[in-house]
Amino acid sequence: MKPIDALVVGLDNEFNYRKLCIAVNVLHRNPGALFVATNQDSYDLVGLESRRLPGNGAIVKAIEHSSRKQSINVGKPSRELADLIGKEHSLKMSRTMMVGDRLDTDIRFGANNNMISALVLTGCTSVEEVIAIAEGQSEEKMPSVIFPYMGMMG
């Protein structure tokens, strides 16, 4: 096997034990290789019934635990992604709005990178979770503004 420089992990709906073994052994045989996560979403909501399915974070955590190697998250809420976007598009982050439906990635991305944040309640975050933040029962950041759905933004 040729040496590799990086193992990049994104959501794989067909992830299985065999793929886990391959990833762990690739990292073991290439100790200098970067281990990159495209995101660490804990779950995704799918279908009309909003079924919770494990997200990429479940795969990343399995590989981290088995390989004893920490990944580098280049997706939301990473600083690296914000720096890249800001530089590539000459953005002033304090005048940039992050719009999303997740508190743990989208809104945290905005808060951690000095952006205005807008939460849309048509995805992963419920009204109850926002109330928990307001009541101090959650460590997540309160978004700058909350919209029930995207059409309310315009």
Side-chain angles (χ1 to χ4, degrees):
M1 181 193 300
K2 290 183 178 182
I4 64 158
D5 295 324
L7 174 70
V8 180
V9 178
L11 182 62
D12 179 354
N13 291 321
E14 296 180 18
F15 185 73
N16 57 32
Y17 187 73
R18 180 179 167 275
K19 291 179 180 182
L20 174 61
C21 292
I22 291 168
V24 168
N25 280 289
V26 163
L27 290 172
H28 176 71
R29 291 180 180 157
N30 298 275
L34 291 174
F35 174 21
V36 179
T38 60
N39 69 71
Q40 294 190 357
D41 292 356
S42 56
Y43 66 91
D44 295 308
L45 294 179
V46 178
L48 296 175
E49 309 91 33
S50 296
R51 292 175 292 140
R52 273 190 187 214
L53 299 182
N56 192 51
I59 297 170
V60 171
K61 293 298 180 193
I63 297 169
E64 284 180 342
H65 187 74
S66 300
S67 68
R68 295 188 176 178
K69 186 165 185 174
Q70 202 66 26
S71 66
I72 300 166
N73 182 27
V74 296
K76 296 173 292 182
S78 80
R79 181 71 171 161
E80 292 81 7
L81 180 59
D83 291 345
L84 177 69
I85 293 169
K87 183 178 179 182
E88 183 74 21
H89 298 283
S90 302
L91 299 176
K92 185 174 182 181
M93 290 312 206
S94 63
R95 294 182 44 81
T96 302
M97 179 181 279
M98 174 62 206
V99 179
D101 68 346
R102 297 182 74 109
L103 292 168
D104 62 339
T105 56
D106 303 325
I107 302 309
R108 189 181 298 167
F109 180 66
N112 290 354
N113 295 291
N114 196 31
M115 295 181 211
I116 302 162
S117 61
L119 177 67
V120 182
L121 294 173
T122 53
C124 292
T125 302
S126 67
V127 172
E128 291 78 18
E129 289 173 286
V130 175
I131 292 169
I133 296 170
E135 294 176 345
Q137 299 172 3
S138 172
E139 293 182 16
E140 293 297 341
K141 304 283 187 197
M142 184 62 83
S144 308
V145 63
I146 301 169
F147 295 102
Y149 55 91
M150 288 292 290
M152 294 289 293
M153 292 183 70

